[in-house]
Amino acid sequence: MSVIDVHTCYALAGAGSLIGLGLIVLVRTEHPRIRRALLLYRAAFLCLSAFLVVLVTPPEHMREVWRHGVGVCATGVTLLAWGFRELNGERTPLSVGLLLAIGSGSLLWFGGGVLSPAHYQLLVALVLAAIAVGTLLDQGRVLLRSQEPRLSGEWALLFTAFLFSLDWVMVLAYSWDHPGPYPPHLLLAPDWLMAPSAMGIALLPLSVAAIVFATINDRLYQQVHHRSLSDDLTGILSRRGLREHGQRLLASQPANSLGVALLMIDIDHFKSINDRHGHPVGDEVLRHVTQVLSEHLRDDALLARYGGEEFTVMLPLRAAEDAQVVAERLRQVVEARPCHAEVGDSSVTIAVTISVGVAFHHRTRPLEEALSRADARLYDAKQAGRNRVSSESLAI
């Protein structure tokens, strides 16, 4: 590939950076972590737009311009890597991030003024290869250790980092003992690698911007969907969330399992708490009961606020007596832990008890039927004096 073709690819990279900047500017979110990532991406694409300098630089000055301008582009690539970390939920201290981003650019800027062409060519390849490999390892570590399903865009970013790393490692290996001549565009690669390397640089900014744009939109959609399934006051599942996650829980049960128990829980005399202390204190009681229940449930159980002061637990059975044992334990721990709430300038301690109704889901019957039977058992517990458990028998 000729020199002018590489410079044309650089110009395309600069134009792609501006388009990527426009895409990222369009994203709106209040999520702090995504907002930090967006800020880093904007700064990165702004730096990478420095590739456009090739459009206004005379050929005779191209080598001199690139010996200094490549540092700005290196800063942009480092900021992209920092943005990947933020998007993955990995916090980088501000001082460390700035040191790496500004340091990589400054190193190439300074090296461009004092090093020989051979040493500077090697420095460029070494710095960019280090950024690329570091990004690949960090992105791979985050994705592979995650217990949650990852978005397709995150794997696409990993694949992009892999290609970028592979390319610059080969460029570094070629630059290590290549005697020259050294091209003014600083992309020193064998003939067979020159074309894909230049095209990779041309496509990198716009490709990353498109992948990041799609990934962030997927993340925001997931957040909205999660909020629609969660209760605003307590943070646990809402009734809608219980139905959606509950169906998944039922579908995941093996054929030889004992099934799933439904616990319907109601806070006793909750209306009198609101009437006596006010709704803010009532909200504190709801959050308090939620915390106590959450702390004493197994990880495989689902807890939801079914409505008002009523909660529901879906409990996969490990033994026939599980439901009765768990329901009684929940009743006891709630009774043993009163709620301490603030009322104006003073605090109040409120004794809280719960009533629990227990039913069992039949494989051939809908979930709503089991919820209805659990609610009927809850009614029996309240009619019998409250602060007790009423359970149907498990048919094995």
Side-chain angles (χ1 to χ4, degrees):
M1 182 176 284
S2 66
V3 171
I4 189 62
D5 288 330
V6 175
H7 287 154
T8 300
C9 289
Y10 285 177
L12 290 174
S17 299
L18 291 182
I19 296 174
L21 179 61
L23 282 176
I24 298 302
V25 168
L26 291 176
V27 180
R28 294 288 187 272
T29 177
E30 296 300 321
H31 194 284
R33 175 168 54 81
I34 296 181
R35 290 183 68 178
R36 288 193 298 269
L38 289 172
L39 180 62
L40 291 170
Y41 285 128
R42 290 167 188 163
F45 289 126
L46 193 60
C47 289
L48 290 174
S49 67
F51 276 115
L52 288 172
V53 72
V54 299
L55 297 178
V56 296
T57 302
E60 63 272 17
H61 298 304
M62 195 67 71
R63 184 184 300 274
E64 180 183 352
V65 168
W66 272 116
R67 278 175 67 90
H68 297 286
V70 71
V72 180
C73 298
T75 297
V77 175
T78 309
L79 289 171
L80 284 182
W82 189 359
F84 291 166
R85 285 184 57 81
E86 287 291 336
L87 196 58
N88 286 325
E90 299 287 309
R91 293 300 305 273
T92 301
L94 181 62
S95 57
V96 175
L98 289 176
L99 177 63
L100 292 174
I102 298 176
S104 61
S106 299
L107 180 62
L108 292 180
W109 183 280
F110 178 76
V114 299
L115 296 179
S116 66
H119 289 134
Y120 188 62
Q121 187 71 56
L122 184 61
L123 178 64
V124 170
L126 183 62
V127 169
L128 292 176
I131 296 172
V133 172
T135 302
L136 173 65
L137 295 177
D138 189 62
Q139 180 83 354
R141 177 186 61 83
V142 171
L143 294 185
L144 293 178
R145 77 175 186 178
S146 174
Q147 300 299 316
E148 300 178 357
R150 307 303 295 199
L151 300 173
S152 58
E154 294 172 315
W155 291 107
L157 285 174
L158 179 64
F159 182 67
T160 302
F162 169 74
L163 292 179
F164 190 63
S165 301
L166 182 62
D167 181 44
W168 277 100
V169 166
M170 289 189 292
V171 170
L172 174 61
Y174 186 75
S175 302
W176 190 264
D177 58 358
H178 190 73
Y182 303 103
H185 50 68
L186 299 181
L187 182 58
L188 182 62
D191 292 340
W192 62 270
L193 185 60
M194 185 67 74
S197 295
M199 288 303 300
I201 293 173
L203 296 176
L204 177 68
L206 190 55
S207 299
V208 169
I211 294 171
V212 167
F213 185 79
T215 301
I216 291 177
N217 279 338
D218 284 342
R219 288 276 182 88
L220 295 178
Y221 170 78
Q222 287 186 343
Q223 290 175 11
V224 171
H225 182 63
H226 176 73
R227 288 176 183 173
S228 72
L229 302 181
S230 302
D231 176 60
D232 291 337
L233 178 64
T234 60
I236 58 176
L237 293 175
S238 62
R239 182 184 296 197
R240 177 182 174 186
L242 175 70
R243 289 190 174 92
E244 181 168 321
H245 286 270
Q247 294 294 346
R248 295 177 189 171
L249 177 63
L250 295 176
S252 68
Q253 296 303 300
N256 61 348
S257 72
L258 292 173
V260 176
L262 280 298
L263 281 61
M264 197 69 77
I265 301 169
D266 187 83
I267 301 176
D268 296 328
H269 305 293
F270 185 73
K271 183 177 183 301
S272 65
I273 294 175
N274 276 334
D275 292 343
R276 181 177 180 183
H277 300 287
H279 289 279
V281 173
D283 291 345
E284 284 297 319
V285 171
L286 289 171
R287 284 190 284 263
H288 168 77
V289 172
T290 299
Q291 181 179 355
V292 174
L293 296 177
S294 300
E295 290 174 354
H296 292 84
L297 283 171
R298 299 194 313 247
D299 291 339
D300 61 349
L302 290 181
L303 173 63
R305 185 182 176 196
Y306 200 69
E309 69 273 21
E310 203 167 50
F311 298 84
T312 303
V313 174
M314 292 187 66
L315 180 72
L317 296 174
R318 299 177 180 175
E321 66 277 8
D322 263 4
Q324 183 70 31
V325 170
V326 170
E328 183 60 30
R329 182 175 72 241
L330 294 178
R331 185 196 67 78
Q332 292 176 4
V333 295
V334 170
E335 183 180 22
R337 289 178 56 177
C339 175
H340 303 285
E342 299 296 326
V343 181
D345 296 330
S346 60
S347 61
V348 60
T349 300
I350 302 172
V352 183
T353 61
I354 58 173
S355 300
V356 187
V358 181
F360 300 92
H361 177 261
H362 299 160
R363 296 182 185 278
T364 59
R365 310 297 295 175
L367 176 60
E368 292 297 330
E369 182 187 275
L371 289 169
S372 178
R373 286 187 282 108
D375 197 52
R377 286 295 179 175
L378 173 61
Y379 178 79
D380 292 341
K382 296 179 80 67
Q383 288 296 105
R386 295 183 172 85
N387 192 24
R388 65 192 63 223
V389 176
S390 175
S391 175
E392 67 180 20
S393 299
L394 172 63
I396 302 178

